[in-house]
Amino acid sequence: MNRIWWKEAVVYQIYPKSFYDSNNDGIGDIKGITKKLPYLKDLGVDVVWICPFYKSPMKDNGYDVADYYAIDPMFGTMDDMDELLENAREYNIKILIDLVLNHSSSEHKWFQEAISDSSSSYRDYYIFKNLDGEKLPTNWRSIFGGSVWERSEDNNCYMHVFDKSQPDLNWENPKLREELYEMINYWLDKGVAGFRLDAITFIKKDQNYPCLPTDGEDGLVGLGSVCLNQKGIGVFLKELKEKTYGRMEAMTVAEAPGVPYEQLDEYIGDDGHFSMIFDFSYSDLDLSPDGNWYPQTDWSVKDLKEAIFHSQLSIQDVGWGALYLENHDQPRSIDKYFRDEDCNNKELSFYLGSVLATMYFLLRGTPFIYQGEEIGMRNCPFSSIDEYNDVSSKDQFERAICAGITPEEALKVVYRRSRDNGRTPMQWSDCENGGFTHGKPWLKVNPNYREINVKNQINDENSLYQYYKKLIKLRKSISYKDVIVYGAIEPALKEYDNIVAYSRKLNDIEITVITNLSSKQYNIPIEYKENVLSNYMDIDYNQSKKEITLRPYEAVVLVK
Ligand code: GLC
Ligand code: CA
């Protein structure tokens, strides 16, 4: 059993723009995070991952970095950051920051030099190509829609995997790589405990820049096969680790789409590039695999559980995983994983939230809680596309309209998956704007804040917030910590399609987690010694039959 601090940690993800506004300008900020450290301590988390706060024109809410060494004024100052780091240390909370290394903002000084002067040494920090007449170098589609190529001045263009305001950095250039390493070391020296690495599997491109058969009405083709996890990327990732966080026991969690399970060892094995990666196989179950604009696929709880266990068992074979339901790119989990009729039933809210929480929190890996998930925040209805902020939602809307869909229908499509669902301000209380700000919030506050808010739930023993606290306590309890953190995972009760269940085993301790992700009732034969957690008041066990009756959306954790 190889004990490492980040395996034992519980992480909380903060989207700074929407967490807490300390100066009432309508935008969350770093001082706001410092103010809420007692809240995070009460919840019981050990690590906080903060999404980008660097100087940025905010075309993609900070994932377009204009200066990696500066704090954007909307979030505060470097002094605020130092103060946060210092205060967090007192609370014994570690800070992870987001590293955006695949691209910078088009307003970064490197890019400004590169685009204004083709002989600048910064030109080679990016991917510029000569245009052959009108023809673009390739027909690849960017993640947010449209070509990956943007015309610059005379007969030139540059590449962007994401928005055109996010030009890709040229990792083939050793000078660029050294600059990035220096910057990462600057932050390590400041005392951050590690990093979340944004879109890291995109950094290597197929150097032949081939044109491919198109796969959409726009005449373009998804770029996965030429820009994701390309041969040779390991050389860059190894060097990155060696020259930066590899010198200490830092925690690194990579956003790493496109890594097949057979290759996990290179990423998260003993000598892997990262501590853990986010696997999207189950959180993106509802997305059509070809990246088209309409998101809904038909999926069942059975598909979900198969995807979860495939992921868990593949990761268990080689290394460590990151567990999550939500993040700043996902809709709220209750809305994603359950049917509308159940979501609309307020009586069920607590059960829906707590059954999902139990389901993922005790899997094998380090759990991440996304802000607001712990109080069951929900998707937010927006009445027009103009109310949205997210670049990808706006792009999706346009693509839907181009495909002949009515604006009303298109809005419905956007609503399901918009990243703004997870980005509306944190709901702290039932005061105006959910207690997030006294100013005008930068993005609409979900109107349900009067019912769903931190203040209500902290004072209610039976709230989802209190349930999350219990889950964290269980994970950290002397009796069960080792089995929950280090125990092996094995799927259980496979024959029940709507139940996700598994056991965790270490030496002679075994716990079984059973979660009913449906409104059906099940009678399940099982024997146990102790019930250590459940989301109903009691558990319905028939001693003579040795059978548990699992009610709608019930979750139980049993010790064998
Ligand atoms: C990642 C981030 C997302 C961002 C994108 C481009 O997927 O999570 O929010 O838009 O990278 O940086
Ligand atoms: Ca503010």
Side-chain angles (χ1 to χ4, degrees), residues 233-249:
I233 191 173
V235 178
F236 294 157
L237 296 178
K238 234 192 181 122
E239 184 187 87
L240 165 64
K241 181 177 175 185
E242 264 166 29
K243 300 213 167 177
T244 61
Y245 40 73
R247 64 188 161 90
M248 55 228 286
E249 242 197 11

Side-chain angles (χ1 to χ4, degrees), residues 60 63 103 144 162 166 196 198 255 328-329 419 423:
D60 189 17
Y63 283 94
H103 45 268
F144 295 155
F162 294 90
Q166 296 166 297
R196 178 264 189 183
D198 183 66
E255 188 193 32
H328 64 292
D329 295 329
R419 305 192 297 177
R423 298 176 180 184

